Amino acid sequence: MKRRKTRQISLGGVKIGGNAPVVVQTMTTTNPRDVRRSVEQILRVEKAGAEIVRVAVPDMKAAGALKEIKKKINIPLVADIHYDYRLALMALAQGVDGIRINPGNIGKKERVESIVKAARELSIPIRIGVNAGSLEEDILLKYNCRPTAEALVESALRYVKLFNEMGFEDIKLSLKSSDVMTTVQAYRMISKEVDYPLHLGVTEAGTTLIGSIKSAVAMGILLSEGIGDTIRVSLTADPVEEVRAAYEILKALGLRKRGLNLVSCPSCGRAEIDVIPLTEKVEEGLRDIVTPITVAVMGCVVNGPGEAKEADIGIAGGKGVGLLFKKGKKAAKIKESEMAESLIKEVLQSAMGKGI
Amino acid sequence: MKRRKTRQISLGGVKIGGNAPVVVQTMTTTNPRDVRRSVEQILRVEKAGAEIVRVAVPDMKAAGALKEIKKKINIPLVADIHYDYRLALMALAQGVDGIRINPGNIGKKERVESIVKAARELSIPIRIGVNAGSLEEDILLKYNCRPTAEALVESALRYVKLFNEMGFEDIKLSLKSSDVMTTVQAYRMISKEVDYPLHLGVTEAGTTLIGSIKSAVAMGILLSEGIGDTIRVSLTADPVEEVRAAYEILKALGLRKRGLNLVSCPSCGRAEIDVIPLTEKVEEGLRDIVTPITVAVMGCVVNGPGEAKEADIGIAGGKGVGLLFKKGKKAAKIKESEMAESLIKEVLQSAMGKGI
């Protein structure tokens, strides 16, 4: 997979674009004015692997709490700004690492310019974050009131031009639609126009499963075409789920490694052990490991020994027993009742050896 | 999205390949000898939208039960055969609509030939189903014991050649690996070699969420490149989940329409209603509708009205109330406590009007 060449920006020390790995980010569901809950949530997403976190800034009170939040967290903080440019200025004064503005609702040119000036002085990058649900009226009208890919691109390029006229290049772009193929099309088009790093996302994608599937389809297509430098999976769910889904997508594409790579059979009429509850237990028990490790849970002899051998650690079911494989070699015979516990123990020991 | 041209086969009346829509299939977790449980599960996957169902056939007793199962179900039945060619012959005698054989374990040429002869007489298509966990030993050895994409393709083509020598063209192919990018690579390669319809799948993909993400990445990439005529999402879960995930993938790609297209915001610090439980209730309440309908559940005014207007029916949250939109027009103001119920009722009424 050849990645498209983009300029690199640095957001609070995290590199995005260029030859940097695809960065995983998320957004809190909290209001920053509730510092305690916001920090608690951010520390949880950090643990899950979030590399950047964004917070909504609905008003001045929220903006004024950002310094306090920033002190207590360990990853770069981005302020999400809509409507009022003064919220951006306040967020910058509070020391945030990045700003996201929405061309669709930030208003007059002079107001945008004042944000760009302040960001330039502080060397803080800005994401131009276009969203199909909130395009500028004149652009919507031009495209028959439909938020098409072309409309999203036009909105983004208008702001890029304005930023460039001011000599500001510390830019990241996103063009999100809740429609997967519109999103894909918009990113394909913008990637031919500019070389700024791209933040991928399907907006308002839905609950955990549906939203993860939509995001995986869009990001799978785009990243396989080399497009995309950082991703956010938008889910109507706890943001920890967004981070987990993001890593699963990147792991599937071979772009990042982290924690459990689970290989488990769908348990057909041939299975000789009860695969579904066993796999669920193993997944639950290994959810928080960070060291990359492939674990296979297989119900029968058709693909069982083959997959179990390919994995770092695997179990292949037989009649009431399982064969445990470690690094491709049979290591033990285990009773069905002890499989979950044994497998989890083996994996944790192995991961420990590698440093978590 | 331009789909690759493939020959068309007909499996129990369901067309696969050519210009047919991408077909959704699944596999039971039951043993066919338990006719009652198998039929019960198949009727459930039919209701969820499965268009073809496959069952494992581990032994003669299972093979002998297929006629009984077939009588009681409404979608084509495929027998999944490993190791013993006589199971295929018995399944064919029982009236199945399709056979899947695994080149990696079906054995001697003469045995394969006897299956092909029997299928030809009955005009029953055969899937050559290659799986990375069970490749032929000589092929594995040739590729340094690694089930690479090239190895998968070589295994499939060996059987294609054998079938062609017998004048048998009623073929479907699959080349599944538990590694997403190996799967993608194998299908890309085989699609350049032959024009038989392709059955897509990532094997042993994992539990519902992880497995759906892996499948969405692989199928998203391949289908966006025009590759793939039927899909099965393999999950360590109830097969109804496989069918639901398959439709979500196809809906995201714009290749099929079915039931709820949910657009829901991730509920940031700006949300003025409690979006997560509301969305979960709405999703649960509308899970079984078949008529395609787009429903938006949005927490605030940033993208809320925009998305709610684009949807067939949408709700955009304000302070303790929501604006209900129908076909882009404001229709009512609803109290937060009544939102889920009202939205579900509106959608059901609208779907009813269209015929479910």
Side-chain angles (χ1 to χ4, degrees):
Chain A
M1 206 182 301
K2 221 186 120 193
R3 286 182 59 202
R4 164 179 165 263
K5 269 212 175 151
T6 52
R7 298 171 196 233
Q8 191 170 75
I9 64 168
S10 178
L11 198 147
V14 173
K15 306 269 185 252
I16 303 172
N19 46 17
V22 178
V23 171
V24 170
Q25 53 177 292
T26 186
M27 186 169 180
T28 72
T29 60
T30 60
N31 187 317
R33 74 168 81 173
D34 188 341
V35 173
R36 196 187 54 74
R37 276 189 63 228
S38 298
V39 168
E40 179 271 332
Q41 200 175 67
I42 294 172
L43 295 179
R44 284 198 299 113
V45 299
E46 281 182 9
K47 198 179 158 214
E51 295 165 310
I52 293 173
V53 69
R54 180 162 47 114
V55 291
V57 186
D59 52 35
M60 274 295 174
K61 205 161 169 190
L66 296 173
K67 185 184 276 179
E68 203 51 35
I69 291 176
K70 206 175 145 41
K71 268 192 228 159
K72 295 176 175 156
I73 64 172
N74 310 291
I75 53 177
L77 182 67
V78 176
D80 195 59
I81 307 294
H82 296 272
Y83 304 112
D84 189 346
Y85 75 107
R86 290 167 300 185
L87 297 173
L89 300 182
M90 175 61 118
L92 286 167
Q94 294 271 313
V96 295
D97 303 288
I99 291 281
R100 177 263 171 130
I101 59 172
N102 181 343
N105 63 27
I106 211 75
K108 290 190 197 138
K109 197 179 154 188
E110 301 73 46
R111 294 177 173 182
V112 180
E113 285 172 350
S114 69
I115 300 176
V116 173
K117 266 185 216 154
R120 190 169 48 196
E121 264 167 45
L122 296 161
S123 297
I124 295 297
I126 300 179
R127 169 155 68 96
I128 299 172
V130 177
N131 200 302
S134 51
L135 278 171
E136 297 99 307
E137 234 174 86
D138 67 312
I139 291 181
L140 263 183
L141 283 173
K142 180 170 164 189
Y143 293 94
N144 293 317
C145 297
R146 307 292 311 183
T148 60
E150 289 79 6
L152 296 173
V153 170
E154 182 163 336
S155 173
L157 288 181
R158 177 184 286 179
Y159 266 50
V160 166
K161 189 161 166 266
L162 176 60
F163 282 36
N164 288 350
E165 282 166 5
M166 297 183 67
F168 189 85
E169 298 280 357
D170 217 3
I171 298 173
K172 194 174 59 159
L173 298 173
S174 65
L175 301 90
K176 302 187 183 180
S177 166
S178 61
D179 180 75
V180 169
M181 291 315 289
T182 302
T183 303
V184 167
Q185 212 44 51
Y187 280 102
R188 280 177 178 159
M189 287 167 66
I190 198 80
S191 75
K192 285 179 191 137
E193 300 287 336
V194 295
D195 65 353
Y196 298 113
L198 297 177
H199 161 124
L200 302 185
V202 175
T203 192
E204 287 94 31
T207 48
T208 302
L209 181 59
I210 294 178
S212 296
I213 290 175
K214 286 185 192 173
S215 301
V217 168
M219 293 170 185
I221 293 172
L222 288 167
L223 289 165
S224 80
E225 295 175 4
I227 298 169
D229 302 284
T230 175
I231 67 173
R232 184 220 172 175
V233 177
S234 293
L235 301 178
T236 308
D238 187 309
V240 165
E241 299 299 322
E242 299 191 344
V243 177
R244 287 193 179 133
Y247 277 103
E248 289 303 326
I249 293 170
L250 295 175
K251 279 152 63 177
L253 290 157
L255 289 170
R256 296 290 300 263
K257 286 179 189 291
R258 183 187 170 91
L260 184 63
N261 174 29
L262 179 66
V263 172
S264 69
C265 85
S267 164
C268 72
R270 196 181 293 281
E272 298 190 300
I273 56 173
D274 202 355
V275 180
I276 299 178
L278 170 62
T279 310
E280 284 168 352
K281 265 185 231 160
V282 170
E283 189 187 353
E284 182 60 36
L286 298 174
R287 178 157 282 167
D288 292 329
I289 64 166
V290 176
T291 308
I293 193 158
T294 299
V295 176
V297 182
M298 305 290 297
C300 85
V301 294
V302 173
N303 300 312
E307 288 287 349
K309 272 187 208 165
E310 281 293 305
D312 293 308
I313 295 179
I315 207 153
K319 280 203 198 315
V321 295
L323 279 180
L324 185 79
F325 288 83
K326 285 159 83 169
K327 291 279 163 208
K329 294 203 174 66
K330 279 183 209 175
K333 222 179 220 182
I334 298 174
K335 279 194 282 185
E336 181 162 6
S337 58
E338 292 163 11
M339 278 181 196
E341 203 189 330
S342 298
L343 199 53
I344 292 169
K345 213 179 83 187
E346 286 291 344
V347 173
L348 290 178
Q349 271 174 358
S350 161
M352 212 99 92
K354 293 189 199 170
I356 203 235
Chain B
M1 206 182 298
K2 222 187 118 193
R3 286 181 60 202
R4 164 179 165 263
K5 269 213 174 147
T6 52
R7 299 171 194 232
Q8 190 170 75
I9 64 168
S10 177
L11 198 147
V14 173
K15 306 269 184 252
I16 302 172
N19 44 17
V22 178
V23 172
V24 170
Q25 53 177 295
T26 186
M27 186 170 180
T28 72
T29 60
T30 60
N31 188 317
R33 74 166 83 172
D34 187 341
V35 172
R36 196 186 56 75
R37 277 190 63 227
S38 298
V39 168
E40 179 270 332
Q41 200 174 69
I42 293 171
L43 294 179
R44 284 199 299 114
V45 299
E46 280 182 10
K47 198 178 158 214
E51 296 165 311
I52 293 172
V53 68
R54 179 162 47 113
V55 290
V57 186
D59 51 36
M60 274 296 175
K61 206 161 169 189
L66 297 174
K67 185 183 278 181
E68 204 51 34
I69 291 175
K70 206 174 145 41
K71 267 192 231 160
K72 296 176 174 155
I73 65 173
N74 311 292
I75 54 176
L77 182 68
V78 175
D80 196 60
I81 307 294
H82 295 272
Y83 303 112
D84 189 347
Y85 75 107
R86 290 167 300 185
L87 297 173
L89 300 182
M90 175 60 119
L92 286 166
Q94 294 270 314
V96 295
D97 302 288
I99 290 281
R100 177 264 172 130
I101 59 172
N102 181 343
N105 63 29
I106 210 76
K108 288 189 197 140
K109 198 179 155 189
E110 300 74 44
R111 295 178 173 182
V112 179
E113 285 172 350
S114 70
I115 300 176
V116 172
K117 266 185 217 156
R120 189 169 50 197
E121 264 166 45
L122 296 161
S123 296
I124 295 297
I126 300 179
R127 169 157 66 97
I128 300 173
V130 177
N131 200 302
S134 52
L135 279 171
E136 298 100 306
E137 234 175 85
D138 68 312
I139 291 181
L140 263 183
L141 282 173
K142 181 171 164 189
Y143 293 93
N144 292 318
C145 296
R146 306 293 310 185
T148 60
E150 290 79 7
L152 296 173
V153 170
E154 182 163 337
S155 173
L157 288 181
R158 177 184 286 179
Y159 266 50
V160 167
K161 189 162 167 264
L162 177 60
F163 281 37
N164 288 351
E165 282 166 5
M166 297 182 68
F168 190 85
E169 299 280 356
D170 217 3
I171 299 173
K172 194 173 59 155
L173 298 174
S174 65
L175 300 91
K176 301 186 184 180
S177 165
S178 60
D179 181 75
V180 169
M181 292 314 289
T182 302
T183 303
V184 168
Q185 212 44 51
Y187 279 102
R188 281 177 177 159
M189 287 168 65
I190 199 81
S191 74
K192 286 180 191 135
E193 299 288 335
V194 296
D195 64 354
Y196 298 114
L198 298 178
H199 161 125
L200 302 186
V202 175
T203 192
E204 286 96 30
T207 47
T208 302
L209 180 60
I210 294 179
S212 296
I213 290 175
K214 286 185 192 173
S215 301
V217 168
M219 293 170 185
I221 294 172
L222 289 167
L223 289 164
S224 80
E225 295 174 4
I227 299 169
D229 303 284
T230 175
I231 67 172
R232 183 220 172 175
V233 176
S234 294
L235 301 178
T236 308
D238 187 309
V240 165
E241 299 298 322
E242 298 191 345
V243 177
R244 287 192 179 134
Y247 277 104
E248 289 303 327
I249 293 170
L250 295 174
K251 279 153 63 178
L253 289 158
L255 290 169
R256 297 290 300 263
K257 285 179 188 295
R258 184 188 170 89
L260 184 63
N261 174 30
L262 178 65
V263 172
S264 69
C265 85
S267 163
C268 71
R270 195 180 293 279
E272 298 189 300
I273 55 173
D274 201 356
V275 179
I276 299 178
L278 170 62
T279 311
E280 284 168 353
K281 265 184 231 160
V282 170
E283 189 186 352
E284 182 61 34
L286 298 174
R287 178 157 283 168
D288 292 328
I289 64 167
V290 176
T291 308
I293 193 158
T294 299
V295 176
V297 182
M298 305 290 296
C300 85
V301 294
V302 172
N303 299 313
E307 287 287 348
K309 273 186 210 165
E310 280 293 306
D312 293 307
I313 295 179
I315 206 154
K319 281 204 198 316
V321 296
L323 280 179
L324 185 78
F325 289 83
K326 284 161 82 170
K327 289 279 164 208
K329 293 201 175 66
K330 279 183 208 174
K333 221 178 218 180
I334 298 174
K335 278 195 282 185
E336 180 162 6
S337 59
E338 291 163 13
M339 280 182 194
E341 205 188 329
S342 298
L343 198 53
I344 290 169
K345 212 179 84 188
E346 286 292 345
V347 173
L348 290 178
Q349 271 173 0
S350 162
M352 213 99 92
K354 294 189 198 171
I356 202 236

